[in-house]
Every structure is written in structure tokens, then in C-alpha cells.
Amino acid sequence: MPSLNSTVSALKPSGIRRFFDLVLAAGPDVVSLGVGEPDFSAPWNVCESAIFALEKGFTSYTSNAGLLELREEISKTMPQASWDPKSEILITNGVSEGMDLAFRTCVNEGDVVLVPDPGYVMYEPLITLARGRVELYNPLKIREITIPQNTKGIVLNFPGNPLGNCFSKEDLQHIANLAIKHDFFIFSDEIYEALSFSAPHVSIMDIEGIKDRTLYFNGVSKSHAMTGFRIGWACGPKEIVEGMTKIHQYAALCACSLSQLATVEAMRRSQKDVKKMVTEYKKRRDYCVERLSKMPISFIPPQGAFYIFVNISKFFADDVQFCEAILKKEKLAVVPGSAFGSNGKGYFRMTYAASMEQLKEAMDRLERFLIDTH
Ligand code: PLP
């Protein structure tokens, strides 16, 4: 066989996936707080609208940029940004595709993009595929960030995966000032926006003077429990959205038409369902925080998304060993913090996108494991 693309061959598989092969092998009685996916189903009116669309034969391509009525709904969610639905919003196959398109459109070979560590696993490989150079920063020390030469952009993600952290308006203003001073882009992944618990979400779009250098990403995967619909959106300056649309047009043509229609319904008539899910996540978070607080471990105060990042370095030198040991002994699956970058060493990530019953069982198992091993 001829050789494969060397950049792709050199990419490491995600540490999360590798760990999940172990979880699958561990058998059916595992309690998994591993996968970062809502445990709810998509709202029924949303599913119905997809069924009706099929019945009505809505089975063709949409425009490359996506249904205009959906882009119009999206522009209403952020009036302060006043994006033009016709030229500044692109519907993508999830935030994942949107960020891939953005990096490929904005980054030249050797350009530096600053990426959170610990951070969501997709940013680094996508920037590498776009031939950019990744430099890491600690999102818990956002005010101490230094800007290397050739910096072309920074990835922000808040509420954050895996930390569950949020940024204040002052934090965002600080980044905005740096972006203007050093002339770089801001790629703001706000997919967990609806799941900001401690305070109302402040978006990067609430900061003035950066609209011409900022791409904002959101979608319905997390807020509406619609991960399988694969709908996200990227909003930003016309020139960048135009570039992204070119790649999208060749590589994907458009996002799934049924899913786009279903997302219009989600945005128009699912606020109650979203509110119900958010209330439930908050209840679960409070429960886990209360239980964890009584254990001899520390954790990053979870302010949003549906993750808690727990420090176990007092007990185990190696987080991968910890996760393997608790999986083997207690059949509890959590993800090693180092899967999210080297600053995640000594931690594990647990999600509370699981039923209260599962969370109670998981907390009991964790507590017992900590007592038994020490
Ligand atoms: N961004 C973050 C921070 C995520 O945690 C995830 C999924 O876990 C995604 C993006 C992917 O979103 P989508 O389903 O819209 O592609």
C-alpha cells in the first residue's frame, strides 16, 4: 500500500477513546461517568419535526451555508453581535466541523495557536492538520498568559471541558486586549453556554471592539441533548465565514437538512426542555460537590458544562493508573486528566450527565475505593 499522509499518521488517538476500550472490556456492571454526552433524549417536538420533514419529502441539500431561517434564529440569540444571517453565520456538522474549517481558513503553516491545557481533545489535532503550531496555556491562569511570536489565534472554551470553569468579563477583556495588541484571532467555543450555573454566561461577544477578529461557535449538541443531529454554527467576520464556506462546500456540501429543520424547531420551541435539563444538571452537580467535599480529595469548583475535575495526586502518582485501578476494583469509569493535556496529570474528569441513581452509586464506589486504598 502507498504511504499515508505523514501528519495524519503522526496524530495520536484520543486518550479518551483509548480509555473507553478498557471500559467496554470491563463488562456491563460498570458505572460510567466517562462520556461527555447528555443522558437525556432530544426534546420530542424536535424529533417530531424531523419526522414531519421526512414525511413531507424534505430530503434534499440545503444551501451551503445552511437554511436561512436557522441562521436568522441564531442571529437572534446574540443581538449584541448583530451578525448578518446572510453572510456571517455558517451552519456546520457540529462545532467540531466549524472549528476545523476555522483553523484551516485562518492559520498558515507555522502560525501559533494558543490552546487550553487541560482542554478538549479536538483543538490540538485540528490545528496540527491545518499546519499550525500549538502552544498550550493553562485556562485557570488566563491572566498570566504570554503571547509567543507568530501567534495567530487563541482557542477559548467556557464553560470548559474538562474543568467546568468559566471566565469573567474581566478575563475576557484581558484576552481581547491581547488579541488587539498582538493582532490575533479569537476562536471561542461556547458550546456549553446554556450550562453556566454560577453566574449568567458572559460571552466573548459581550466584549466590544473584537468582532472583526472573533469566531464564535455554538450548537445544540449539549444544550438540547442533540449530539447525534450534528448541528453547530460558526459566526464571525464575512471574509472568514466565506473562506470556511468554501471548504464546507467542497467537503460537506451542507449540514444534514433534516437536522437543520429540527434545530429551527429546537430554537423556537424548546426553551422549557432546556431549562428542565439545566435545572437537573445543576441538582446533580450540587449533589456531587457535596459528596466530593466530604472525601479527602480536592477538585476544581465546577461552574458550568457537566464535568468535575478531581485531583487525586495525594493518593496516586499517576492518573491513568488511578483510573485503571478504580475501573478494575470498583467498576467505576472516569477519564484520566492527562488525556486533556499535561496540566491534567494527577486529576480525573467525571461527568454528571448521568442519572441521580448512577451518581449516588458512583460516589459510593469512589468513596469506598479511597478508603480501601489508603
Ligand atoms: N467543544 C467542546 C468543548 C466539547 O466538549 C465538544 C464535545 O464534547 C464539542 C465541542 C463537540 O461539539 P459538536 O457535537 O457540536 O461537534
Side-chain angles (χ1 to χ4, degrees), residues 144-341:
E144 295 163 35
I145 212 160
T146 53
I147 308 299
Q149 269 200 336
N150 287 337
T151 296
K152 194 60 169 293
I154 185 169
V155 174
L156 302 178
N157 169 223
F158 59 101
N161 176 8
L163 294 174
N165 65 307
C166 288
F167 294 136
S168 66
K169 191 159 187 184
E170 291 72 31
D171 292 334
L172 295 175
Q173 185 65 61
H174 178 71
I175 295 300
N177 294 347
L178 289 173
I180 293 166
K181 181 171 170 205
H182 298 273
D183 193 23
F184 59 77
F185 293 116
I186 302 173
F187 305 102
S188 194
D189 177 353
E190 300 186 34
I191 190 156
Y192 293 102
E193 177 170 339
L195 306 175
S196 283
F197 302 128
S198 302
H201 182 78
V202 181
S203 167
I204 190 68
M205 300 316 301
D206 292 315
I207 308 296
E208 280 172 24
I210 41 113
K211 197 184 159 199
D212 64 336
R213 60 180 66 250
T214 301
L215 279 158
Y216 164 93
F217 302 88
N218 208 335
V220 280
S221 286
K222 313 291 176 172
S223 54
H224 292 71
M226 289 173 62
T227 47
F229 283 78
R230 306 308 305 129
I231 295 293
W233 45 90
C235 311
K238 179 171 176 271
E239 297 77 4
I240 308 180
V241 170
E242 242 169 47
M244 292 166 64
T245 308
K246 272 196 270 184
I247 310 174
H248 178 71
Q249 157 190 314
Y250 293 127
L253 267 163
C254 65
C256 168
S257 56
L258 291 178
S259 298
Q260 290 190 57
L261 259 195
T263 304
V264 172
E265 173 68 17
M267 301 199 67
R268 287 186 183 157
R269 278 176 286 275
S270 290
Q271 289 86 341
K272 257 200 200 147
D273 295 270
V274 173
K275 214 165 154 203
K276 238 164 63 191
M277 289 189 265
V278 172
T279 306
E280 187 58 29
Y281 287 131
K282 189 164 182 299
K283 213 166 84 193
R284 296 167 180 186
R285 178 201 66 161
D286 293 345
Y287 171 75
C288 293
V289 164
E290 195 197 325
R291 290 290 306 268
L292 290 170
S293 305
K294 293 183 184 140
M295 298 181 207
I297 44 179
S298 60
F299 53 90
I300 312 286
Q303 299 169 303
F306 36 53
Y307 306 105
I308 308 183
F309 213 51
V310 182
N311 188 327
I312 36 83
S313 57
K314 232 169 59 186
F315 292 99
F316 271 76
D318 185 297
D319 52 287
V320 177
Q321 270 173 20
F322 174 90
C323 292
E324 286 176 2
I326 196 165
L327 177 63
K328 193 158 170 225
K329 188 149 193 288
E330 288 291 348
K331 302 252 176 201
L332 173 63
V334 289
V335 185
S338 54
F340 304 95

